[in-house]
Amino acid sequence: MHNVVCIKQVPDSAQIRVHPVTNTIMRQGVPTIINPYDLFALEAALELRDRFGGKITVLTMGPPSAEDSLRKALTFGADRAILLTDRCFAGSDTLATTYALATAIRKIDKEYGRPDLIFTGKQTIDGDTAQVGPGIAKRLGVLQLTYVAKVRSLDLAARTIEAERRSEGGVQVLHTRLPCLITMLEATNQIRRGAMADALRAARAPIVKWSAQDVGVEDVSKCGLRGSPTVVKRVFAPSARAEKAALVEAAEQPAQALIDAIFKHQPKLEAELAALARNA
């Protein structure tokens, strides 16, 4: 089988700073990492390859420096890595990103064989939109399983897959046909440590680099800023609250002590709750 895993190189959110004047993210000196959600997607693809064999292609769109994340993915055991990089992709929102990635996956189909499964993380830690995976599926015309916690079974002969999907009401068991796109939830598997052989291979493995022209982008106006209707108006760090948190100490009945403290801080709240109870 052939699986494609889409990853993204993102700034380490624990070290992101916002410029106090321009209100833009200061990327200088901020280390980059593979989007954590994408690691669970990669591990899911690796587990299926362990069971059924085949190849894993890792794909990312970004600047030349994104090659570092692709090599990291190779150390986990991916077979090949493709970097989609071109100046016309700069500033892409999710709409433009899905257009470029879907075009690249069609190129992968021609060069390396049709993907059976396409994996992404449920979202990225820098955008948090959860739109890229579904957007790719829509553009490719394949079925999609979002917020997947576990792949329960896979039948390559029948071309079907069964997966568990988490929802607000519980767990859904979904059964569909291949090919399809899966967005993986966090903490759904144990990310493996790469083998020494994979680390050595990753250090010298060639990274395939494709430009917009290489993948056959016919309309560059659909890429980058020109193809992005979403505009980020301002990025800012929340201001610190002037009011400090209060400490409620109670050796006995701590819940009641907390309720009393809340009513003392908000005198009208107790009366409002009592009125709601009478009218219920």
Side-chain angles (χ1 to χ4, degrees):
M1 67 184 303
H2 181 204
N3 294 334
V4 172
V5 182
C6 297
I7 68 171
K8 184 180 181 183
Q9 180 171 270
V10 296
D12 187 346
S13 59
Q15 302 187 46
I16 285 180
R17 296 171 297 158
V18 177
H19 196 283
V21 177
T22 63
N23 290 319
T24 58
I25 294 177
M26 300 170 63
R27 297 181 182 271
Q28 294 80 6
V30 178
T32 56
I33 58 174
I34 297 177
N35 177 52
Y37 296 111
D38 297 342
L39 291 176
F40 297 106
L42 176 57
E43 178 60 31
L46 290 168
E47 290 176 356
L48 290 177
R49 190 193 61 184
D50 293 343
R51 293 166 53 191
F52 299 98
K55 299 290 184 180
I56 295 175
T57 300
V58 179
L59 170 68
T60 193
M61 184 182 82
S65 60
E67 181 178 326
D68 295 339
S69 291
L70 289 173
R71 292 199 182 277
K72 181 67 174 178
L74 291 174
T75 66
F76 287 113
D79 296 287
R80 69 176 66 90
I82 299 174
L83 173 59
L84 185 60
T85 184
D86 198 304
R87 292 186 65 86
C88 74
F89 296 141
S92 294
D93 67 357
T94 56
L95 187 70
T97 297
T98 57
Y99 172 73
L101 290 176
T103 305
I105 292 172
R106 293 190 185 97
K107 173 78 170 180
I108 290 172
D109 186 338
K110 295 178 182 178
E111 294 287 328
Y112 304 109
R114 187 181 186 186
D116 298 290
L117 291 168
I118 303 167
F119 284 92
T120 72
K122 71 162 186 176
Q123 64 192 67
T124 59
I125 60 173
D126 58 348
D128 280 338
T129 64
Q131 295 173 349
V132 171
I136 293 172
K138 176 64 176 178
R139 290 187 183 278
L140 294 177
V142 300
L143 300 169
Q144 56 179 294
L145 302 176
T146 56
Y147 301 101
V148 169
K150 179 182 179 181
V151 176
R152 297 182 62 170
S153 65
L154 177 67
D155 189 335
L156 290 176
R159 304 288 294 167
T160 59
I161 186 172
E162 186 174 272
E164 293 181 5
R165 179 184 190 270
R166 289 184 193 164
S167 65
E168 292 182 358
V171 176
Q172 301 171 339
V173 178
L174 304 178
H175 185 88
T176 189
R177 64 183 183 273
L178 302 180
C180 74
L181 182 142
I182 292 176
T183 71
M184 292 296 299
L185 285 174
E186 70 280 7
T188 51
N189 48 41
Q190 184 66 43
I191 300 171
R192 67 189 64 190
R193 294 177 62 89
M196 180 60 71
D198 288 324
L200 294 174
R201 177 178 59 87
R204 58 178 182 269
I207 303 295
V208 179
K209 298 179 181 179
W210 287 342
S211 65
Q213 183 178 4
D214 292 332
V215 297
V217 171
E218 297 178 353
D219 187 357
V220 293
S221 67
K222 294 182 179 180
C223 302
L225 287 173
R226 287 189 293 174
S228 301
T230 305
V231 177
V232 179
K233 183 177 181 180
R234 187 164 66 101
V235 178
F236 63 94
S239 56
R241 296 181 60 176
E243 186 178 1
K244 295 183 179 180
L247 177 63
V248 178
E249 296 182 352
E252 298 180 358
Q253 297 183 329
Q256 185 61 48
L258 178 60
I259 293 172
D260 292 341
I262 292 173
F263 287 157
K264 182 178 179 181
H265 183 70
Q266 301 186 36
K268 296 181 180 180
L269 181 60
E270 185 173 11
E272 292 173 355
L273 292 175
L276 288 173
R278 287 193 299 270
N279 296 329

